[in-house]
Coordinates of all heavy atoms in Angstrom, one line a residue:
M1 N 23.0 3.9 11.0 CA 22.7 4.9 9.9 C 23.8 5.9 9.9 O 24.1 6.5 10.9 CB 21.3 5.5 10.2 CG 20.8 6.4 9.1 SD 19.1 7.1 9.4 CE 18.1 5.6 9.3
D2 N 24.3 6.2 8.7 CA 25.3 7.2 8.7 C 24.8 8.6 8.8 O 23.6 8.8 8.7 CB 26.2 7.0 7.4 CG 25.5 7.3 6.1 OD1 24.4 8.0 6.2 OD2 26.0 7.0 5.1
E3 N 25.6 9.5 9.0 CA 25.2 10.9 9.3 C 24.4 11.5 8.2 O 23.4 12.2 8.4 CB 26.5 11.8 9.6 CG 26.1 13.1 10.0 CD 27.4 13.9 10.4 OE1 28.4 13.3 10.7 OE2 27.3 15.2 10.4
L4 N 24.8 11.3 6.9 CA 24.1 11.9 5.8 C 22.6 11.3 5.7 O 21.7 12.1 5.5 CB 24.8 11.7 4.5 CG 24.2 12.3 3.2 CD1 24.1 13.8 3.4 CD2 25.1 12.0 2.0
K5 N 22.5 10.0 5.9 CA 21.2 9.4 5.9 C 20.3 10.0 7.0 O 19.1 10.2 6.8 CB 21.3 7.9 5.9 CG 21.7 7.3 4.7 CD 21.7 5.8 4.8 CE 22.2 5.1 3.5 NZ 22.2 3.7 3.6
E6 N 20.9 10.2 8.1 CA 20.2 10.7 9.3 C 19.7 12.2 9.0 O 18.6 12.5 9.3 CB 21.0 10.7 10.5 CG 20.3 11.2 11.8 CD 19.2 10.2 12.2 OE1 19.2 9.0 11.9 OE2 18.2 10.8 12.8
K7 N 20.5 13.0 8.3 CA 20.1 14.3 8.0 C 19.0 14.3 6.9 O 18.1 15.1 7.0 CB 21.3 15.1 7.4 CG 22.3 15.5 8.5 CD 23.5 16.2 8.0 CE 24.5 16.6 9.1 NZ 25.6 17.3 8.6
H8 N 19.1 13.4 6.0 CA 18.0 13.2 5.0 C 16.7 12.9 5.7 O 15.6 13.5 5.3 CB 18.4 12.2 4.0 CG 19.4 12.6 3.0 ND1 20.0 11.7 2.2 CD2 20.0 13.8 2.8 CE1 20.9 12.3 1.4 NE2 21.0 13.6 1.8
K9 N 16.8 12.0 6.6 CA 15.6 11.6 7.3 C 14.9 12.8 8.1 O 13.7 13.0 8.1 CB 15.9 10.5 8.3 CG 14.7 9.9 9.1 CD 15.2 8.8 10.0 CE 14.0 8.3 10.8 NZ 14.4 7.3 11.8
I10 N 15.8 13.6 8.7 CA 15.3 14.8 9.4 C 14.6 15.7 8.5 O 13.6 16.3 8.8 CB 16.4 15.4 10.2 CG1 16.9 14.5 11.4 CG2 16.0 16.8 10.7 CD1 18.2 14.9 12.0
V11 N 15.2 16.0 7.3 CA 14.7 16.9 6.3 C 13.3 16.4 5.8 O 12.4 17.1 5.7 CB 15.7 17.1 5.2 CG1 15.0 17.8 4.0 CG2 16.9 17.9 5.6
V12 N 13.3 15.1 5.5 CA 12.0 14.5 5.0 C 10.9 14.6 6.0 O 9.8 15.0 5.7 CB 12.2 13.0 4.6 CG1 10.9 12.3 4.3 CG2 13.1 13.0 3.3
E13 N 11.3 14.4 7.3 CA 10.3 14.5 8.4 C 9.8 15.9 8.5 O 8.6 16.1 8.7 CB 10.9 14.0 9.7 CG 11.0 12.5 9.8 CD 9.6 11.8 9.7 OE1 8.6 12.3 10.3 OE2 9.5 10.9 8.9
G14 N 10.7 16.9 8.4 CA 10.2 18.3 8.5 C 9.3 18.6 7.4 O 8.2 19.2 7.6
I15 N 9.6 18.3 6.2 CA 8.7 18.5 5.0 C 7.4 17.8 5.2 O 6.3 18.4 5.0 CB 9.4 18.1 3.7 CG1 10.6 19.0 3.4 CG2 8.4 18.1 2.6 CD1 11.5 18.5 2.3
M16 N 7.4 16.6 5.6 CA 6.2 15.8 5.8 C 5.3 16.4 6.9 O 4.1 16.4 6.8 CB 6.5 14.3 6.0 CG 6.9 13.6 4.8 SD 5.7 13.8 3.4 CE 4.2 13.1 4.1
R17 N 5.9 16.9 8.0 CA 5.1 17.5 9.0 C 4.3 18.7 8.5 O 3.1 18.9 8.9 CB 6.0 17.9 10.2 CG 6.5 16.7 11.0 CD 7.3 17.2 12.2 NE 7.8 16.0 12.9 CZ 8.8 16.0 13.7 NH1 9.5 17.2 13.9 NH2 9.3 14.9 14.3
V18 N 4.9 19.5 7.7 CA 4.2 20.6 7.1 C 3.1 20.2 6.2 O 2.0 20.7 6.3 CB 5.2 21.6 6.3 CG1 4.4 22.7 5.6 CG2 6.2 22.2 7.3
I19 N 3.4 19.2 5.4 CA 2.4 18.7 4.4 C 1.2 18.0 5.2 O 0.0 18.2 4.9 CB 3.0 17.7 3.4 CG1 3.9 18.5 2.5 CG2 1.9 17.0 2.6 CD1 4.7 17.6 1.5
E20 N 1.5 17.3 6.2 CA 0.5 16.6 7.1 C -0.4 17.7 7.8 O -1.6 17.5 7.9 CB 1.1 15.7 8.1 CG 1.7 14.4 7.4 CD 2.6 13.6 8.3 OE1 2.9 14.0 9.4 OE2 2.9 12.5 7.9
L21 N 0.2 18.7 8.3 CA -0.5 19.8 9.0 C -1.5 20.4 8.0 O -2.6 20.7 8.3 CB 0.5 20.8 9.6 CG -0.2 22.0 10.3 CD1 -1.0 21.5 11.5 CD2 0.9 23.0 10.7
C22 N -1.0 20.7 6.8 CA -1.8 21.3 5.8 C -3.0 20.4 5.4 O -4.1 20.8 5.3 CB -1.0 21.6 4.5 SG 0.1 23.0 4.7
Y23 N -2.7 19.1 5.3 CA -3.8 18.1 5.1 C -4.8 18.1 6.2 O -6.0 18.2 6.0 CB -3.2 16.7 4.9 CG -4.2 15.6 4.9 CD1 -5.0 15.5 3.8 CD2 -4.3 14.7 5.9 CE1 -6.0 14.4 3.7 CE2 -5.2 13.7 5.9 CZ -6.1 13.6 4.8 OH -7.0 12.6 4.8
E24 N -4.4 18.1 7.4 CA -5.3 18.1 8.6 C -6.1 19.4 8.7 O -7.3 19.3 9.1 CB -4.4 17.9 9.9 CG -3.8 16.6 10.0 CD -2.8 16.5 11.2 OE1 -2.7 17.5 12.0 OE2 -2.2 15.5 11.3
Q25 N -5.5 20.5 8.2 CA -6.3 21.8 8.3 C -7.0 22.0 7.0 O -7.6 23.1 6.8 CB -5.3 22.9 8.6 CG -4.7 22.8 9.9 CD -3.8 23.9 10.2 OE1 -3.4 24.7 9.4 NE2 -3.3 24.0 11.5
N26 N -6.9 21.1 6.0 CA -7.6 21.2 4.7 C -7.2 22.5 4.0 O -8.1 23.2 3.5 CB -9.1 21.1 4.9 CG -9.8 20.8 3.7 OD1 -9.3 20.1 2.8 ND2 -11.1 21.3 3.5
V27 N -5.9 22.7 4.0 CA -5.4 23.9 3.2 C -4.3 23.3 2.2 O -3.7 22.3 2.5 CB -4.8 25.0 4.1 CG1 -5.9 25.6 4.9 CG2 -3.7 24.5 4.9
T28 N -4.1 24.1 1.2 CA -3.0 23.7 0.3 C -1.8 24.5 0.6 O -1.8 25.6 1.2 CB -3.4 23.8 -1.2 OG1 -3.8 25.2 -1.4 CG2 -4.6 23.0 -1.6
T29 N -0.7 24.0 0.1 CA 0.6 24.7 0.2 C 1.4 24.5 -1.1 O 0.9 23.8 -2.0 CB 1.4 24.2 1.5 OG1 2.5 25.1 1.7 CG2 1.9 22.8 1.3
T30 N 2.5 25.1 -1.1 CA 3.4 25.0 -2.3 C 4.8 24.6 -1.8 O 5.1 24.7 -0.6 CB 3.5 26.3 -3.1 OG1 4.2 27.2 -2.3 CG2 2.2 26.7 -3.6
W31 N 5.6 24.1 -2.7 CA 7.0 23.8 -2.3 C 7.7 25.0 -1.8 O 8.4 25.0 -0.8 CB 7.8 23.1 -3.5 CG 7.3 21.8 -3.7 CD1 6.6 21.3 -4.8 CD2 7.4 20.6 -2.9 NE1 6.3 20.0 -4.7 CE2 6.8 19.5 -3.5 CE3 8.0 20.4 -1.6 CZ2 6.7 18.3 -3.0 CZ3 7.9 19.2 -1.1 CH2 7.3 18.1 -1.7
R32 N 7.5 26.2 -2.5 CA 8.1 27.4 -2.1 C 7.7 27.7 -0.6 O 8.6 28.1 0.2 CB 7.7 28.6 -3.0 CG 8.5 29.8 -2.6 CD 8.0 31.0 -3.5 NE 8.0 30.7 -4.9 CZ 9.1 30.8 -5.7 NH1 10.3 31.2 -5.2 NH2 9.0 30.6 -7.0
D33 N 6.4 27.6 -0.3 CA 6.0 27.9 1.1 C 6.7 27.0 2.1 O 7.1 27.4 3.2 CB 4.5 27.6 1.2 CG 3.6 28.6 0.5 OD1 4.1 29.7 0.1 OD2 2.4 28.3 0.2
I34 N 6.8 25.7 1.7 CA 7.4 24.7 2.6 C 8.9 25.1 2.9 O 9.4 25.2 4.0 CB 7.3 23.3 2.1 CG1 5.8 22.9 2.2 CG2 8.2 22.3 2.9 CD1 5.5 21.6 1.5
F35 N 9.6 25.3 1.8 CA 11.0 25.6 1.9 C 11.3 26.9 2.6 O 12.2 27.0 3.4 CB 11.7 25.7 0.5 CG 11.7 24.3 -0.2 CD1 11.5 24.3 -1.6 CD2 11.8 23.1 0.5 CE1 11.5 23.0 -2.2 CE2 11.8 21.9 -0.1 CZ 11.6 21.9 -1.5
L36 N 10.5 27.9 2.4 CA 10.6 29.2 3.1 C 10.3 29.0 4.6 O 11.0 29.5 5.5 CB 9.7 30.3 2.5 CG 10.2 30.8 1.1 CD1 9.2 31.7 0.5 CD2 11.5 31.5 1.2
F37 N 9.2 28.3 4.9 CA 8.8 28.0 6.3 C 9.9 27.3 7.0 O 10.1 27.7 8.2 CB 7.5 27.3 6.3 CG 7.0 27.0 7.7 CD1 6.4 27.9 8.4 CD2 7.1 25.7 8.2 CE1 5.9 27.7 9.7 CE2 6.7 25.4 9.5 CZ 6.1 26.4 10.3
L38 N 10.4 26.3 6.4 CA 11.5 25.5 7.1 C 12.9 26.2 7.0 O 13.8 25.6 7.5 CB 11.5 24.1 6.5 CG 10.3 23.3 6.8 CD1 10.4 21.9 6.0 CD2 10.1 23.0 8.3
R39 N 12.9 27.3 6.3 CA 14.2 28.1 6.2 C 15.3 27.3 5.5 O 16.4 27.4 5.9 CB 14.6 28.6 7.5 CG 13.6 29.6 8.1 CD 14.1 30.2 9.4 NE 13.1 31.1 9.9 CZ 13.2 31.8 11.0 NH1 14.4 31.8 11.6 NH2 12.3 32.6 11.4
F40 N 14.9 26.6 4.5 CA 15.9 25.9 3.6 C 16.7 27.0 2.9 O 16.1 27.9 2.4 CB 15.3 25.0 2.6 CG 14.8 23.7 3.2 CD1 14.5 23.5 4.5 CD2 14.6 22.6 2.4 CE1 14.1 22.3 5.0 CE2 14.2 21.4 2.8 CZ 13.9 21.2 4.2
P41 N 18.0 26.8 2.7 CA 18.7 27.7 1.9 C 18.2 27.7 0.4 O 17.9 26.7 -0.1 CB 20.1 27.2 1.9 CG 20.2 26.1 2.8 CD 18.8 25.7 3.2
E42 N 18.0 28.9 -0.1 CA 17.5 29.0 -1.5 C 18.3 28.2 -2.5 O 17.7 27.6 -3.4 CB 17.4 30.5 -1.9 CG 16.6 30.7 -3.2 CD 16.4 32.1 -3.5 OE1 16.4 33.0 -2.6 OE2 16.1 32.4 -4.7
A43 N 19.5 28.1 -2.3 CA 20.4 27.3 -3.3 C 19.9 25.8 -3.3 O 20.1 25.2 -4.4 CB 21.8 27.4 -2.8
A44 N 19.3 25.3 -2.3 CA 18.8 23.9 -2.3 C 17.6 23.7 -3.1 O 17.3 22.6 -3.5 CB 18.6 23.5 -0.9
W45 N 16.8 24.8 -3.4 CA 15.6 24.6 -4.1 C 15.3 25.5 -5.3 O 14.3 25.4 -6.0 CB 14.4 24.6 -3.1 CG 14.4 25.8 -2.2 CD1 14.9 25.9 -1.0 CD2 13.8 27.1 -2.5 NE1 14.7 27.2 -0.5 CE2 14.0 27.9 -1.4 CE3 13.0 27.6 -3.6 CZ2 13.5 29.2 -1.3 CZ3 12.6 28.9 -3.5 CH2 12.8 29.7 -2.3
E46 N 16.2 26.5 -5.5 CA 16.0 27.5 -6.5 C 15.8 27.0 -7.9 O 15.1 27.6 -8.7 CB 17.1 28.5 -6.5 CG 18.4 28.0 -7.0 CD 19.5 29.0 -6.8 OE1 19.2 30.2 -6.5 OE2 20.7 28.6 -7.0
D47 N 16.3 25.8 -8.2 CA 16.2 25.3 -9.6 C 15.1 24.3 -9.7 O 14.9 23.7 -10.8 CB 17.5 24.6 -10.0 CG 17.9 23.4 -9.2 OD1 17.4 23.3 -8.0 OD2 18.8 22.6 -9.6
M48 N 14.3 24.1 -8.7 CA 13.2 23.1 -8.7 C 12.0 23.7 -9.5 O 11.6 24.8 -9.3 CB 12.8 22.9 -7.2 CG 11.8 21.8 -7.1 SD 11.5 21.5 -5.3 CE 10.1 20.5 -5.4
P49 N 11.5 22.8 -10.4 CA 10.4 23.3 -11.2 C 9.1 23.3 -10.4 O 9.0 22.6 -9.4 CB 10.3 22.3 -12.3 CG 10.9 21.0 -11.8 CD 12.0 21.5 -10.8
D50 N 8.1 24.0 -10.8 CA 6.8 24.0 -10.1 C 6.8 24.4 -8.7 O 6.0 23.8 -7.9 CB 6.1 22.6 -10.3 CG 6.0 22.2 -11.8 OD1 5.9 23.1 -12.6 OD2 6.1 21.0 -12.1
L51 N 7.6 25.3 -8.3 CA 7.7 25.8 -6.9 C 6.3 26.3 -6.4 O 6.0 26.2 -5.2 CB 8.7 26.9 -6.7 CG 10.2 26.4 -6.6 CD1 11.1 27.5 -6.7 CD2 10.4 25.6 -5.4
D52 N 5.6 26.9 -7.3 CA 4.3 27.5 -6.8 C 3.1 26.7 -7.2 O 2.0 27.2 -7.0 CB 4.2 28.9 -7.4 CG 5.4 29.8 -6.9 OD1 5.6 29.8 -5.7 OD2 6.1 30.4 -7.7
E53 N 3.3 25.5 -7.7 CA 2.1 24.6 -7.9 C 1.6 24.1 -6.6 O 2.3 23.8 -5.7 CB 2.6 23.3 -8.7 CG 2.8 23.6 -10.1 CD 1.5 23.7 -10.9 OE1 0.5 22.9 -10.6 OE2 1.4 24.5 -11.8
P54 N 0.2 24.2 -6.4 CA -0.3 23.7 -5.1 C 0.0 22.2 -4.9 O -0.1 21.4 -5.9 CB -1.8 23.9 -5.3 CG -2.0 24.8 -6.5 CD -0.8 24.7 -7.3
I55 N 0.3 21.8 -3.7 CA 0.4 20.4 -3.4 C -0.9 20.0 -2.8 O -1.4 20.5 -1.8 CB 1.5 20.3 -2.3 CG1 2.9 20.8 -2.8 CG2 1.6 18.8 -1.8 CD1 4.0 20.9 -1.8
V56 N -1.5 19.1 -3.5 CA -2.9 18.6 -3.2 C -2.8 17.2 -2.6 O -2.3 16.3 -3.2 CB -3.8 18.6 -4.4 CG1 -5.2 18.1 -4.1 CG2 -3.8 20.0 -5.1
I57 N -3.3 17.1 -1.3 CA -3.4 15.8 -0.6 C -4.8 15.6 -0.3 O -5.4 16.4 0.5 CB -2.5 15.8 0.7 CG1 -1.1 16.2 0.4 CG2 -2.7 14.5 1.4 CD1 -0.3 15.2 -0.4
N58 N -5.4 14.6 -0.9 CA -6.9 14.4 -0.8 C -7.2 13.3 0.3 O -8.3 13.3 0.8 CB -7.5 14.0 -2.1 CG -7.5 15.2 -3.1 OD1 -7.8 16.3 -2.7 ND2 -7.0 14.9 -4.3
Q59 N -6.2 12.4 0.5 CA -6.5 11.3 1.4 C -5.2 10.8 2.0 O -4.1 11.2 1.6 CB -7.2 10.2 0.7 CG -6.5 9.7 -0.6 CD -7.4 8.9 -1.5 OE1 -8.6 8.8 -1.2 NE2 -6.9 8.4 -2.5
E60 N -5.3 10.0 3.1 CA -4.2 9.5 3.8 C -3.2 8.8 2.8 O -2.0 8.9 3.0 CB -4.6 8.5 4.9 CG -5.5 9.1 5.9 CD -4.7 9.7 7.0 OE1 -3.5 9.3 7.3 OE2 -5.2 10.7 7.7
S61 N -3.7 8.0 1.9 CA -2.8 7.3 1.0 C -1.9 8.3 0.1 O -0.8 7.9 -0.2 CB -3.6 6.4 0.0 OG -4.5 7.1 -0.8
D62 N -2.4 9.5 -0.1 CA -1.6 10.5 -0.8 C -0.4 10.9 0.1 O 0.7 11.2 -0.5 CB -2.4 11.7 -1.1 CG -3.5 11.5 -2.1 OD1 -3.5 10.5 -2.8 OD2 -4.5 12.3 -2.2
L63 N -0.6 10.9 1.4 CA 0.5 11.2 2.3 C 1.6 10.1 2.2 O 2.8 10.5 2.2 CB 0.0 11.3 3.7 CG -0.8 12.6 4.0 CD1 -1.4 12.4 5.4 CD2 0.0 13.8 3.9
V64 N 1.2 8.9 2.1 CA 2.2 7.8 2.0 C 3.0 7.9 0.7 O 4.2 7.8 0.7 CB 1.4 6.4 2.0 CG1 2.4 5.3 1.8 CG2 0.8 6.3 3.4
I65 N 2.3 8.2 -0.4 CA 2.9 8.4 -1.7 C 3.9 9.6 -1.7 O 5.0 9.5 -2.1 CB 1.9 8.5 -2.8 CG1 1.1 7.2 -3.0 CG2 2.5 8.9 -4.1 CD1 -0.1 7.3 -3.8
M66 N 3.4 10.7 -1.0 CA 4.2 11.9 -1.0 C 5.5 11.6 -0.1 O 6.6 12.0 -0.5 CB 3.4 13.0 -0.3 CG 4.2 14.3 -0.2 SD 4.7 15.0 -1.8 CE 3.1 15.6 -2.4
R67 N 5.4 10.9 1.0 CA 6.5 10.6 1.8 C 7.6 9.7 0.9 O 8.8 10.0 1.0 CB 6.2 9.8 3.0 CG 7.4 9.4 3.9 CD 6.9 8.7 5.1 NE 6.2 9.5 6.0 CZ 6.6 10.4 6.9 NH1 7.9 10.6 7.0 NH2 5.9 11.1 7.7
A68 N 7.1 8.8 0.2 CA 8.0 7.9 -0.6 C 8.7 8.8 -1.7 O 9.9 8.6 -1.9 CB 7.2 6.8 -1.2
M69 N 7.9 9.7 -2.3 CA 8.4 10.5 -3.3 C 9.5 11.5 -2.8 O 10.6 11.6 -3.4 CB 7.3 11.4 -4.0 CG 7.8 12.2 -5.1 SD 6.6 13.4 -5.7 CE 6.8 14.7 -4.4
I70 N 9.2 12.1 -1.6 CA 10.2 13.0 -1.1 C 11.4 12.3 -0.6 O 12.6 12.7 -0.8 CB 9.6 13.8 0.1 CG1 8.5 14.7 -0.4 CG2 10.6 14.6 0.8 CD1 7.6 15.3 0.6
S71 N 11.3 11.1 0.0 CA 12.4 10.3 0.5 C 13.3 9.9 -0.7 O 14.5 10.1 -0.6 CB 11.9 9.0 1.2 OG 11.2 9.4 2.4
S72 N 12.7 9.5 -1.8 CA 13.5 9.1 -2.9 C 14.2 10.3 -3.6 O 15.3 10.2 -4.0 CB 12.7 8.2 -3.9 OG 11.7 9.0 -4.5
W73 N 13.4 11.4 -3.6 CA 14.0 12.6 -4.2 C 15.2 13.1 -3.5 O 16.2 13.4 -4.1 CB 12.9 13.7 -4.2 CG 13.4 15.0 -4.8 CD1 13.6 15.2 -6.2 CD2 13.7 16.2 -4.2 NE1 14.0 16.5 -6.4 CE2 14.1 17.2 -5.2 CE3 13.6 16.6 -2.8 CZ2 14.4 18.4 -4.8 CZ3 14.0 17.9 -2.5 CH2 14.4 18.8 -3.5
F74 N 15.2 13.1 -2.2 CA 16.3 13.5 -1.4 C 17.5 12.5 -1.5 O 18.6 12.9 -1.5 CB 15.9 13.7 0.1 CG 15.8 15.2 0.4 CD1 14.5 15.8 0.3 CD2 16.8 15.9 0.8 CE1 14.4 17.1 0.5 CE2 16.7 17.3 1.0 CZ 15.5 17.9 0.9
A75 N 17.2 11.2 -1.5 CA 18.2 10.2 -1.7 C 19.0 10.4 -2.9 O 20.2 10.2 -3.0 CB 17.6 8.8 -1.6
V76 N 18.3 10.8 -4.0 CA 19.0 11.0 -5.3 C 19.6 12.4 -5.4 O 20.7 12.5 -5.9 CB 17.9 10.8 -6.5 CG1 18.5 11.2 -7.8 CG2 17.4 9.4 -6.5
K77 N 18.9 13.4 -5.0 CA 19.4 14.8 -5.2 C 20.6 15.1 -4.3 O 21.5 15.8 -4.8 CB 18.3 15.8 -4.8 CG 18.7 17.2 -5.0 CD 17.5 18.2 -4.9 CE 17.9 19.6 -5.0 NZ 18.2 20.1 -6.3
H78 N 20.7 14.6 -3.2 CA 21.8 15.0 -2.3 C 22.7 13.8 -2.1 O 23.4 13.4 -1.4 CB 21.2 15.5 -0.9 CG 20.3 16.6 -1.1 ND1 20.8 17.9 -1.3 CD2 19.0 16.7 -1.2 CE1 19.8 18.7 -1.5 NE2 18.7 18.0 -1.4

């Protein structure tokens, strides 16, 4: 796996850990919360729409879908 793919994998894992924790604790979060918590540079997410929309995960299958979405988003964006 090349270095860029490895970095993408690490970023996706970090985001998913936050989302999974929120799911386990039955709380919602937003993309802004996640990016601020993980200390992502603002330039990486400032143009993202819906930063303050709640991320709703109702069941385990939603986590699988979210992981796929985030993985593909990062593969395309970066």
Side-chain angles (χ1 to χ4, degrees):
M1 184 178 292
D2 67 17
E3 187 176 338
L4 185 58
K5 286 184 181 179
E6 186 63 29
K7 287 180 182 180
H8 288 170
K9 184 178 175 185
I10 291 168
V11 168
V12 170
E13 282 303 312
I15 293 169
M16 284 307 301
R17 285 182 185 160
V18 174
I19 293 172
E20 288 168 353
L21 179 62
C22 290
Y23 170 70
E24 290 168 9
Q25 294 180 352
N26 198 31
V27 297
T28 58
T29 191
T30 66
W31 289 112
R32 184 183 310 274
D33 292 340
I34 291 170
F35 296 144
L36 289 172
F37 179 75
L38 294 174
R39 297 183 178 185
F40 281 23
E42 189 172 340
W45 51 268
E46 68 185 352
D47 63 341
M48 188 175 169
D50 304 327
L51 279 170
D52 297 311
E53 283 284 321
I55 298 170
V56 179
I57 304 293
N58 294 314
Q59 53 196 4
E60 297 276 333
S61 62
D62 293 342
L63 289 171
V64 173
I65 293 167
M66 182 63 73
R67 179 179 295 280
M69 183 190 79
I70 294 169
S71 294
S72 66
W73 181 72
F74 258 90
V76 172
K77 183 171 175 74
H78 302 282

